[in-house]
Amino acid sequence: MENTEGTSRLEGRVIHVIFENEDTGYTVFEVESGGEYYEVAGVVGQVHIGESVVAHGSFESHPTYGEQFRAVACETSVPQAVQDILAYLSAGVLPYIGPATAKKLVARFGEKTLDVIAQEPRRLTDIKGISGEKALRISEEFKKMFGAREVVAWLARFGVSAPRAMAVYNAFGPHTLEALTQNPYLLCGEPLQMRFALADSIAAELQMSGENKLRVWAALLYVLRHNAGNGHTCLPRRRLTATTGQFIGVEAQAVEEHLDGALEAGELKSQQMAGGEYIYLPELLSAEEDIAARLADLACRQPTVPPDLERNIRVLERSRGMEYAPLQRQAIRTALTSNVLVLTGGPGTGKTTTVNAILALFENQADRVALCAPTGRAAKRLSELTGHKASTIHRLLEVDYSGGVLHFIHNEKNLLRCDVIILDEMSMVDVKLFQSLLAALKRGCRIIMVGDADQLPSVGPGNILGEVICSGVVPTVCLTQIFRQAASSLIVANAHRIVTGQIPETGGREDDFFFLKAGGMACQQLICDLVAARLPRSYGFDPVRDIQVLCPTKMGPSGTRQLNLRLQEMLNPPSIGKDELKAGEQIFRVGDKVMQVRNDYDIPFEREGGESGVGAFNGDIGIVLEVNTSQRSLKVRMDDRILVYTAEHLNELETAYAVTIHKSQGSEFPAVVLPVSEVPEKLCYRNLLYTGVTRAKKLCILAGSGATVQKMVENVRQNLRYSGLGELLMRAMPGGEPGHES
């Protein structure tokens, strides 16, 4: 055993494999070295009894299992000595070979046994019981086992961790190395989406640099995918070529030529819009075209109009002891006499009352109504407000992730049985998800889209609510009247002041909205004091479950990164007997508030009552229930689901005492603390502040600079999103202009 620069080197022979996860490569095994026995654990890929290993890492004291060698890398070689080869094969690592057959093979081929298996499998038929078919299967499995290890070792040269290398191997299989040496840019494409710089560094070693076609095509796709992550479904041609050329240091003219080739090959798609030529990823153009065609069909088709509608509305008013406002009545009437409706409006304008009326009238005529929302929290809130069961869109469509690819059980071949869909928080829905929902609706199904057009658009690509409203194709009712009960809330009043360009009022002792002045580190300290002490003491709020800090930015003293570190230290510090797990720069402890930061359809969960499934979604918030340090896993409760996060999924979790306003969409919290100190210029805009304020149910506190608040209110710039949905929707209507695609 050696030690260099803080990293130890453990060399020996594998004598026992204790635990192994084939998908992640996390393995626990026992090594004999110089007559001593050591337990080794880490993401190192598969190891087998009898193999020689060189593990690099350090010794750690595990609270349950005692001293372990925590390996960060592991080099293995096949057994060389006859007795080691016999032990290796006798362990059952290869199909059709048990202890008895292993003895026969070693007796026949000696030290050359493993070479024969790898290179001359037909010679295995010399052994009684091994047919030609079995020999080939044995050889393929042997090469597959060592193929994964070769990939891990090869990618390690470029700084790729073992877990990521295993993901690469799982994506491309036994021919991974061959595929990557021919086209290393596969790494930054689907499904891996690794960094372009990584693929570029490998390509440079393989002499694939400069204006190489594979490089430029990959860069074009990468730029479009990156911008899809920022919400754009397409980019203007000039912007795409200029950005790509700057990104990889290639002249724009060369990028233009390669773009034409990518369009001819169908790798990318083009659309002529009013503003010029726009370039799409094929799947995003398909999504926008499908949405446009289906919404246009709904808007054009003659609906079934219920008899005595006006009388039924009056009866509903009398039964509920109220009278609907003119715009509410218009929305109710339009919902019952049209196939599609957009219902929008700010807080306190009666959207929920209107939705409940629409729901009651559809149920009175025996229509089957499904209620859904993009996130679990939004669905739970919709259920509470209507008194009817509501689900996430994913749960309504039923996720199927078999084969590692996302599918929905309900689709165009297995339609939903509902007659009406009411979809809340429409501003959050991205184009791919909405495409899937529309595809699963039967032809006569009506759809009512409910949302607030002044909130931030979806995290995913598209701006469906804004584009649909601007197209003028779909019947739209915007509620504007603030009702008396809501008018008493300064949260509601200030939300409307913000959206109309007025500075919010600061509030008094009895109000539900306050502004507290502070800057820099003083603002950070104020926020921590509010969350940890002042608000729980004054209002009885639970600091973890009831109070949410919503930040415009991740950076700076009042950004999510520093605030999460401080708040975790104050609200859930380390203590004896409390397990914790370090994953990258994050530390997770039992009791931590955490958030899922990207969609992942492969994380298993269970619901109370025994129902199980898979899937965790961007923005889901939960509490860590259990930390398993030996298996490097967490158990997390998110609403009604308990999810198990294994090692490969830990990078998808972040502590969530403070989250960005963008990540809070579709959620409401009893109390919101919103830092407005030192907000970057690009994030000083109105609908970001508006979205943060409207997440608060009972109390909202702005902490920071009045000048920053004023700057945000006065900046009406919306987040520009490139999308062709509005124009495609207008074209899809009878008499609309045909599109031009290449």
Side-chain angles (χ1 to χ4, degrees), residues 8 61 99-100 172 235 237 385 391 408 416 422 461 488 507 546 665:
S8 296
S61 182
F172 300 122
L235 286 179
R237 180 182 179 114
L385 293 172
S391 68
F408 290 113
L416 293 165
I422 297 177
S488 64
D546 296 334
Q665 289 174 263

Side-chain angles (χ1 to χ4, degrees), residues 525 528-529 532-533 565-573:
Q525 186 60 48
C528 292
D529 288 345
L565 290 172
R566 285 288 310 278
L567 288 168
Q568 184 187 41
E569 181 184 331
M570 296 173 73
L571 300 174
N572 194 26

